[in-house]
mmCIF file of all heavy atoms in Angstrom:
data_model
loop_
_atom_site.group_PDB
_atom_site.id
_atom_site.type_symbol
_atom_site.label_atom_id
_atom_site.label_comp_id
_atom_site.label_asym_id
_atom_site.label_seq_id
_atom_site.Cartn_x
_atom_site.Cartn_y
_atom_site.Cartn_z
ATOM 1 N N THR A 213 4.554 16.973 -14.182
ATOM 2 C CA THR A 213 3.643 17.057 -15.327
ATOM 3 C C THR A 213 3.640 15.823 -16.230
ATOM 4 O O THR A 213 2.638 15.568 -16.886
ATOM 5 C CB THR A 213 3.929 18.323 -16.164
ATOM 6 O OG1 THR A 213 5.281 18.297 -16.618
ATOM 7 C CG2 THR A 213 3.667 19.566 -15.354
ATOM 8 N N ASP A 237 15.149 26.264 -15.188
ATOM 9 C CA ASP A 237 13.836 26.642 -14.649
ATOM 10 C C ASP A 237 14.040 27.692 -13.564
ATOM 11 O O ASP A 237 14.918 27.525 -12.721
ATOM 12 C CB ASP A 237 13.152 25.386 -14.065
ATOM 13 C CG ASP A 237 11.671 25.597 -13.806
ATOM 14 O OD1 ASP A 237 11.323 26.575 -13.112
ATOM 15 O OD2 ASP A 237 10.865 24.789 -14.293
ATOM 16 N N GLY A 256 11.910 34.397 -19.456
ATOM 17 C CA GLY A 256 11.897 35.226 -20.659
ATOM 18 C C GLY A 256 13.242 35.327 -21.360
ATOM 19 O O GLY A 256 13.357 36.017 -22.378
ATOM 20 N N GLN A 332 6.749 23.949 -21.404
ATOM 21 C CA GLN A 332 6.144 25.287 -21.341
ATOM 22 C C GLN A 332 7.076 26.402 -20.864
ATOM 23 O O GLN A 332 6.846 27.562 -21.176
ATOM 24 C CB GLN A 332 4.872 25.274 -20.501
ATOM 25 C CG GLN A 332 3.774 24.341 -20.975
ATOM 26 C CD GLN A 332 3.409 24.477 -22.430
ATOM 27 O OE1 GLN A 332 3.892 25.362 -23.134
ATOM 28 N NE2 GLN A 332 2.569 23.588 -22.906
ATOM 29 N N SER A 337 7.044 31.028 -23.142
ATOM 30 C CA SER A 337 7.878 32.122 -22.698
ATOM 31 C C SER A 337 8.284 32.978 -23.903
ATOM 32 O O SER A 337 7.840 32.730 -25.028
ATOM 33 C CB SER A 337 9.094 31.574 -21.953
ATOM 34 O OG SER A 337 9.749 32.609 -21.270
ATOM 35 N N ARG A 656 1.992 24.720 -13.118
ATOM 36 C CA ARG A 656 1.191 23.592 -12.639
ATOM 37 C C ARG A 656 1.696 22.981 -11.342
ATOM 38 O O ARG A 656 2.863 23.074 -11.016
ATOM 39 C CB ARG A 656 1.237 22.499 -13.708
ATOM 40 C CG ARG A 656 0.574 22.930 -14.969
ATOM 41 C CD ARG A 656 0.960 22.028 -16.127
ATOM 42 N NE ARG A 656 0.019 22.243 -17.215
ATOM 43 C CZ ARG A 656 0.070 23.305 -18.016
ATOM 44 N NH1 ARG A 656 1.018 24.213 -17.883
ATOM 45 N NH2 ARG A 656 -0.840 23.476 -18.945
ATOM 46 N N GLN A 660 -3.102 18.828 -9.723
ATOM 47 C CA GLN A 660 -4.258 19.373 -10.441
ATOM 48 C C GLN A 660 -4.017 19.369 -11.935
ATOM 49 O O GLN A 660 -2.878 19.475 -12.389
ATOM 50 C CB GLN A 660 -4.559 20.812 -9.973
ATOM 51 C CG GLN A 660 -4.848 20.940 -8.487
ATOM 52 C CD GLN A 660 -6.121 20.215 -8.050
ATOM 53 O OE1 GLN A 660 -6.954 19.807 -8.855
ATOM 54 N NE2 GLN A 660 -6.270 20.042 -6.748
ATOM 55 N N LYS A 762 4.114 32.891 -19.527
ATOM 56 C CA LYS A 762 5.185 32.719 -18.551
ATOM 57 C C LYS A 762 5.901 34.025 -18.205
ATOM 58 O O LYS A 762 6.860 33.972 -17.427
ATOM 59 C CB LYS A 762 6.210 31.699 -19.068
ATOM 60 C CG LYS A 762 5.653 30.273 -19.243
ATOM 61 C CD LYS A 762 5.431 29.552 -17.920
ATOM 62 C CE LYS A 762 5.199 28.056 -18.062
ATOM 63 N NZ LYS A 762 3.807 27.658 -17.824
HETATM 64 N N1 MGD B 1 -0.054 17.658 -12.942
HETATM 65 C C1 MGD B 1 -0.272 18.128 -14.164
HETATM 66 N N2 MGD B 1 0.349 17.566 -15.221
HETATM 67 C C2 MGD B 1 0.125 18.060 -16.457
HETATM 68 C C3 MGD B 1 -0.800 19.109 -16.683
HETATM 69 C C4 MGD B 1 -1.456 19.668 -15.553
HETATM 70 O O1 MGD B 1 -2.263 20.598 -15.662
HETATM 71 N N3 MGD B 1 -1.163 19.149 -14.316
HETATM 72 N N4 MGD B 1 -1.005 19.603 -17.927
HETATM 73 C C5 MGD B 1 -0.426 18.918 -19.075
HETATM 74 C C6 MGD B 1 -0.198 19.927 -20.114
HETATM 75 S S1 MGD B 1 -1.502 20.327 -21.134
HETATM 76 C C7 MGD B 1 1.002 20.520 -20.307
HETATM 77 S S2 MGD B 1 1.181 21.653 -21.559
HETATM 78 C C8 MGD B 1 2.177 20.101 -19.553
HETATM 79 C C9 MGD B 1 3.034 21.277 -19.082
HETATM 80 O O2 MGD B 1 4.145 20.789 -18.414
HETATM 81 P P1 MGD B 1 5.315 21.762 -17.924
HETATM 82 O O3 MGD B 1 5.797 22.597 -19.036
HETATM 83 O O4 MGD B 1 6.315 20.933 -17.218
HETATM 84 O O5 MGD B 1 4.535 22.659 -16.840
HETATM 85 P P2 MGD B 1 4.491 24.195 -16.411
HETATM 86 O O6 MGD B 1 4.318 24.181 -14.936
HETATM 87 O O7 MGD B 1 3.492 24.911 -17.213
HETATM 88 O O8 MGD B 1 5.892 24.854 -16.772
HETATM 89 C C10 MGD B 1 7.117 24.220 -16.552
HETATM 90 C C11 MGD B 1 8.121 25.086 -15.848
HETATM 91 O O9 MGD B 1 8.457 26.224 -16.616
HETATM 92 C C12 MGD B 1 9.084 27.100 -15.710
HETATM 93 N N5 MGD B 1 9.276 28.412 -16.346
HETATM 94 C C13 MGD B 1 8.474 29.478 -16.300
HETATM 95 N N6 MGD B 1 8.966 30.482 -17.065
HETATM 96 C C14 MGD B 1 10.116 30.033 -17.608
HETATM 97 C C15 MGD B 1 11.096 30.604 -18.494
HETATM 98 O O10 MGD B 1 10.982 31.715 -18.987
HETATM 99 N N7 MGD B 1 12.167 29.818 -18.802
HETATM 100 C C16 MGD B 1 12.315 28.548 -18.318
HETATM 101 N N8 MGD B 1 13.397 27.877 -18.679
HETATM 102 N N9 MGD B 1 11.410 27.999 -17.480
HETATM 103 C C17 MGD B 1 10.325 28.725 -17.147
HETATM 104 C C18 MGD B 1 8.142 27.092 -14.529
HETATM 105 O O11 MGD B 1 8.804 27.505 -13.351
HETATM 106 C C19 MGD B 1 7.692 25.633 -14.500
HETATM 107 O O12 MGD B 1 8.325 24.897 -13.473
HETATM 108 O O13 MGD B 1 1.803 19.346 -18.420
HETATM 109 C C20 MGD B 1 0.903 18.287 -18.719
HETATM 110 N N10 MGD B 1 0.810 17.532 -17.506
#
Side-chain angles (χ1 to χ4, degrees):
T213 59
D237 194 307
Q332 301 309 354
S337 193
R656 295 164 164 77
Q660 301 295 346
K762 296 286 194 253

